[in-house]
Amino acid sequence: MTRTEYLNQLEAYLMKLPQSDRIEAMDYFKELFDDAGPEGEEELIASLGSPKEAAHDVLTTLLDKNDRHILRIALLALLAAPIGIPVGIGLLMAIIGIFIAAVSVLIAFFAVSAAGMVLGAVLLFESFYILAESTSAFILIFGGGLLAVGASSLVLLATSYVTRFFGLLVLRLIQWILNRGKRGERHA
């Protein structure tokens, strides 16, 4: 077997490797043949074994190198876990707390505006009982009832807009998280 035949067969066995690894391996073997020279080719081929055996050695070496890299990453992940997991849980709980507080404030504004409308309706209704006794008291209570209904209506309107905005914000945040997850799956 000649140098050219050996290298061609070896390259055929290494075709499953990424191009950069394959080129690096082929350069290594070409350098070995260059160093051996034409008179030492047969001896080199004998020491390397068949192209299939040489390809097996290259693949085993690359797998060992990749396994060590994966082992290092796993070790770093385990060492970072005592710090990373509590910090991640803390951040998640803070986000959930902010969300619950915002929802509670919106519910409180809805409750206040509903109570204001009920109060305004009661004041409007009660003002007509006082009309016979005092006109000024009627005007005061009737005006208070109108003010309560009007202010409560404005608070309810503003709260509904804020709630709609908050809902859209939460939906976009969820979509963004889901899209990032899909991108992560594609790159994995």
Side-chain angles (χ1 to χ4, degrees), residues 16-55:
K16 291 182 181 177
L17 284 177
Q19 185 177 2
S20 62
D21 290 337
R22 186 175 64 244
I23 289 171
E24 184 179 332
M26 291 305 296
D27 287 345
Y28 171 75
F29 281 98
K30 287 176 186 175
E31 189 176 313
L32 284 177
F33 276 102
D34 289 342
D35 290 345
E39 62 278 348
E41 282 183 11
E42 287 184 29
E43 186 179 319
L44 179 63
I45 290 173
S47 69
L48 291 174
S50 71
K52 188 173 188 175
E53 291 170 348

Side-chain angles (χ1 to χ4, degrees), residues 48-151:
L48 291 174
S50 71
K52 188 173 188 175
E53 291 170 348
H56 177 71
D57 290 343
V58 169
L59 291 173
T60 304
T61 304
L62 285 174
L63 284 176
D64 286 344
K65 187 168 66 171
N66 287 340
D67 286 344
R68 281 189 222 121
H69 183 67
I70 291 171
L71 183 64
R72 285 184 196 141
I73 291 173
L75 184 63
L76 285 174
L78 285 175
L79 291 175
I83 297 169
I85 291 174
V87 168
I89 290 172
L91 286 174
L92 180 65
M93 291 300 126
I95 291 170
I96 290 172
I98 290 170
F99 176 76
I100 289 173
V103 169
S104 299
V105 167
L106 290 174
I107 289 172
F109 273 109
F110 273 120
V112 166
S113 63
M117 287 190 164
V118 170
L119 174 67
V122 167
L123 286 175
L124 289 173
F125 184 72
E126 290 293 324
S127 67
F128 288 105
Y129 286 114
I130 298 179
L131 179 61
E133 296 174 19
S134 169
T135 310
S136 60
F138 165 77
I139 292 173
L140 179 67
I141 295 173
F142 190 78
L146 287 177
L147 180 65
V149 169

Side-chain angles (χ1 to χ4, degrees), residues 167-181:
L168 290 174
L169 187 68
V170 169
L171 283 176
R172 286 193 179 154
L173 177 66
I174 291 170
Q175 287 174 343
W176 179 75
I177 291 171
L178 291 177
N179 287 337
R180 284 191 59 122

